Amino acid sequence: MDLFFAVASKRNDHDTATLRSFHMDKQAAIMAMNKTIDSNMLFVVLAHVQLAKNGNVRFWSAVK
């Protein structure tokens, strides 16, 4: 697994976070978050991301 800055969203405080995108640096993640039209709460978090052989995200989890 590699470390990336992830843009994640939540509908409310009790919802689980959903990965929207991941980026190599924090500034790129913040720019992507600011450009989205998603109505859910968005935040940038450092995350472990595991990619499948085809390049899709297999697993991700926020770094505590």
Side-chain angles (χ1 to χ4, degrees), residues 16-54:
T16 58
T18 301
L19 179 67
R20 295 295 181 201
S21 62
F22 59 96
H23 307 271
M24 296 298 290
D25 61 61
K26 188 174 184 176
Q27 190 61 33
I30 291 170
M31 287 175 47
M33 179 182 71
N34 290 335
K35 288 182 181 179
T36 188
I37 59 171
D38 197 324
S39 62
N40 296 325
M41 294 183 293
L42 296 171
F43 53 96
V44 173
V45 62
L46 188 61
H48 293 287
V49 178
Q50 182 180 15
L51 301 176
K53 289 182 182 179
N54 64 2

